[in-house]
Amino acid sequence: MSSEHDPAVLIDAVDEDARARSPLGEAWFMFRRNRAALFGLILLVAIFLLTIFGPMLYENEPFRIVARPRTSPSEGDLLLGSDYLGRDTLAGLLTGGRVTLLIAVFAGTMTVLIGLLIGGPAGYFGGRVESVLMRLTELFQVPPAILLAMLVLVLWGPTVINLVLAISLVAWPQTARLSRGEFLRLRNVEFVRAAKAAGASDLRILTRIILPNALPPLIVNATLIIGGAILFEAGLSFLGLGDPNVMTWGLMLGSSRPYVFDTWWAVTFPGLAIFFTVLAISLVGDGINDAFNPKLRER
Amino acid sequence: MTEGPSPRAKTLQRLGRMFVIRLGHAVFLLLAVTIFTFTLLHLAPGDAAQVWAGAQGGASAEQIEQIRVEYGLDRPFPQQLASYVGNAATGDFGDSFFFRQPVSELVLARVWPTILLVLTSLGIAILGGVILGVWTARRPTAPSSHVITAVALFGFSAPIFWTGIMLLLIFSSWLNLLPSHGMNSVTVGDGFFEQAWDTFLHLILPASTLGFFYMAQYSRISRVSMLEVLGSDYVRTARAKGLKERSVIWKHALRNAVIPVVTIAGFQVGALLSGGILVETVFEWPGMGRLAFEAVLRRDTPILMGMLIISTFIVIVANLLTDVAYRVIDPRIRFAKP
């Protein structure tokens, strides 16, 4: 038998390209081939750059009244018009974007951390630990999220920090369930059993062996949570529970809502900003998911 | 043949036992949420009686003293908790400070419009989602499928209340086709059908807004499950028998493909209530969401606490019904060994 028909050699030849890369490199290779995900990534980077550098280049205070109230985009000097008080919509979008994204990223990070801390041990240890932790998860999952967040914000006051806390408080059960499932699956995998047989402590197995392997779905989940957090923050601000001292896209929507028939632009543009940001995040999340699980893509 | 209960009776018995266990679990969960809600009030900064009365200075010193005595806020925490939970169990969530009315009455008056809105939206979402899902599953590579997938993604990326505002702008303000707010026009007549038609017209925009958001999700789910079912043996058998494609899809395949959608929808009543609160605020629909919005404006804590517990109750009941319903509908689960 000549060596070129040896299956191992054939597989090596096909995979040579992929082998040269690290797992992350390979994921990036898969991600790059996904046009929708790439579009999402470019959009997301553009939005981040705009919100980081935009306020430096376009120096208008989002709260200051700079024009006649209700100046439409076509009649004044302001590119996107002014709201019912005469505040610059574009300045609000740029500066507000910063805080909106910051809240979402912090809330997303915290949500994943809480979810991991509760769901991870539940899945790994099982038994009584699991039933207690999952009951706790259920307790937070059953009440309608927005009502729970509203109550927390009314009791503690609507500040940016409390917004982050309130969003994480209602979002973590989803991550906890996911982490539980992942840790449950991984605890019986051979390499985990091998580590256990070799005498590794539970803490070491949890943090060094299971966690890295559970990360891909958790990263995808984090992107979903961040997208959801933007929508949720907008919803809370719309209900009057945004931080009144800090401009966010949600606050812009909420404060201009009663004047929507006279100033459609002051409501339409912040909404579009949220829409494109969440869309970009979902596309990137889908792309990461596909990159880590190429088989699922067939669905 | 051996004597003994028939398999059918055994199944019923098992369903019954399961139901009792779930019921106990539900009661426990509701109790836990009630305790949690009251604990939140206690943990909040400031004097509980003052917070309870509304931080915006809704009550005089006398009234606050009265609350303190009435709810025993001067007693130790476990006692206060016990009395709140005890009262809540009888449907007493205290009085609203702005409306000066029992919370339970206020919420009950608003609960039906919300249920009407949520159920209509759910109907739109399930019906539309399943039709779209089946469509895209049958022609996964057709341009129409890509369009539907894209629209589903769009529906998911926009804030639900913003979609509502945009629909309001288009259909109410520019096209002047549909009413913009409320549940009934002031000018509507007394006749039952006249009123029902009027309510229907008012319902279209909010229900579509809420329904559209979930339709996107359900179309994805039903697409996946339809693809799975279409590849299964029994569908191949049905086709081999020479059944018409329409009958294979809509009669044989759909029945199984729809189960995950209905299950997920049933477990999503809480999310729908959340979305409903935002949508109701946009369209000034006189339901629980509108009440929650007013309660936030006035920092009316008793209303928010009562609503949290009552809506949790609704969610738990919906979950319970879904759980039982899909066991009854799906023979694979009904006859599965526990």
Side-chain angles (χ1 to χ4, degrees), chain A residues 135 138-148 150-156 158 169 231-232 234-236 238-241 250 253-254 257 260-261 264 267-272 274-276 278-280 282-283 286 298-299, chain B residues 25 28-29 32-33 36-37 40-41 43-45 51 153-154 156-159 161-162 165-166 168-169 173-174 180 220 223-224 227-228 270 273-274 277-278 281-282 284 292-293 296 299 301 304-305 307-308 311-312 315-316:
Chain A
R135 284 285 146 86
E138 213 174 349
L139 169 65
F140 281 85
Q141 195 165 34
V142 169
I146 207 151
L147 276 174
L148 182 52
M150 282 164 93
L151 181 63
V152 167
L153 287 173
V154 163
L155 288 178
W156 271 269
L169 189 74
L231 296 178
F232 201 74
L236 287 170
F238 174 70
L239 292 172
L241 287 168
L253 280 174
R257 147 77 186 108
V260 59
F261 294 123
W264 59 265
V267 177
T268 305
F269 293 123
L272 282 176
I274 293 175
F275 170 72
F276 281 116
V278 177
L279 182 69
S282 319
L283 289 174
D286 278 355
E298 307 308 321
R299 297 199 145 178
Chain B
H25 183 68
F28 168 79
L29 199 56
V33 170
F36 174 63
T37 307
L40 275 182
L41 171 73
L43 289 176
V51 177
L153 195 59
F154 291 169
F156 227 65
S157 302
F161 62 93
W162 181 73
I165 295 174
M166 291 297 116
L168 197 65
L169 266 178
S173 176
W174 291 343
S180 65
R220 277 182 150 189
R223 181 181 126 90
V224 169
L227 279 173
E228 227 166 68
L273 282 175
S274 275
I277 286 175
L278 292 165
T281 308
V282 172
E284 293 172 31
F293 179 64
V296 166
R299 300 292 188 258
T301 344
L304 285 174
M305 289 168 66
M307 275 185 58
L308 187 65
S311 56
T312 302
V315 172
I316 288 176

Side-chain angles (χ1 to χ4, degrees), chain B residues 23-74:
Chain B
L23 200 64
H25 183 68
V27 171
F28 168 79
L29 199 56
L30 190 61
L31 182 69
V33 170
T34 311
I35 293 174
F36 174 63
T37 307
F38 189 77
T39 312
L40 275 182
L41 171 73
H42 192 79
L43 289 176
D47 176 30
Q50 213 138 21
V51 177
W52 179 257
Q56 300 295 313
S60 65
E62 266 168 60
Q63 281 172 318
I64 287 176
E65 197 49 45
Q66 192 191 330
I67 298 160
R68 215 185 296 272
V69 174
E70 192 178 335
Y71 290 94
L73 294 176
D74 44 354

Side-chain angles (χ1 to χ4, degrees), chain A residues 44 47-48 51 96-113 159-169 171 175 219 221-234 236-237 246-250 273-274 277-278 281:
Chain A
L44 197 59
I47 291 166
F48 265 92
T51 52
R98 267 188 191 179
V99 188
T100 308
L101 292 175
L102 221 57
I103 291 177
V105 169
F106 271 110
T109 313
M110 237 181 100
T111 302
V112 173
L113 282 181
T159 62
V160 168
I161 291 171
N162 288 347
L163 270 169
V164 170
L165 293 176
I167 295 170
S168 329
L169 189 74
T175 315
I219 292 171
N221 178 253
T223 61
L224 287 179
I225 302 254
I226 290 174
I230 295 178
L231 296 178
F232 201 74
E233 189 274 333
L236 287 170
S237 300
V246 181
M247 190 57 82
T248 64
W249 291 337
I274 293 175
T277 310
V278 177
I281 293 174

Side-chain angles (χ1 to χ4, degrees), chain A residues 163-210:
Chain A
L163 270 169
V164 170
L165 293 176
I167 295 170
S168 329
L169 189 74
V170 299
W172 70 265
Q174 196 198 347
T175 315
R177 281 172 176 259
L178 181 77
S179 333
R180 173 186 159 271
E182 279 300 304
F183 278 60
L184 187 65
R185 180 177 69 81
L186 286 166
R187 84 170 170 189
N188 292 319
V189 171
E190 266 170 21
F191 57 79
V192 173
R193 287 196 194 169
K196 207 173 228 172
S201 67
D202 282 337
L203 186 68
R204 190 181 166 82
I205 292 177
L206 277 170
T207 54
R208 292 288 184 81
I209 298 169
I210 295 188

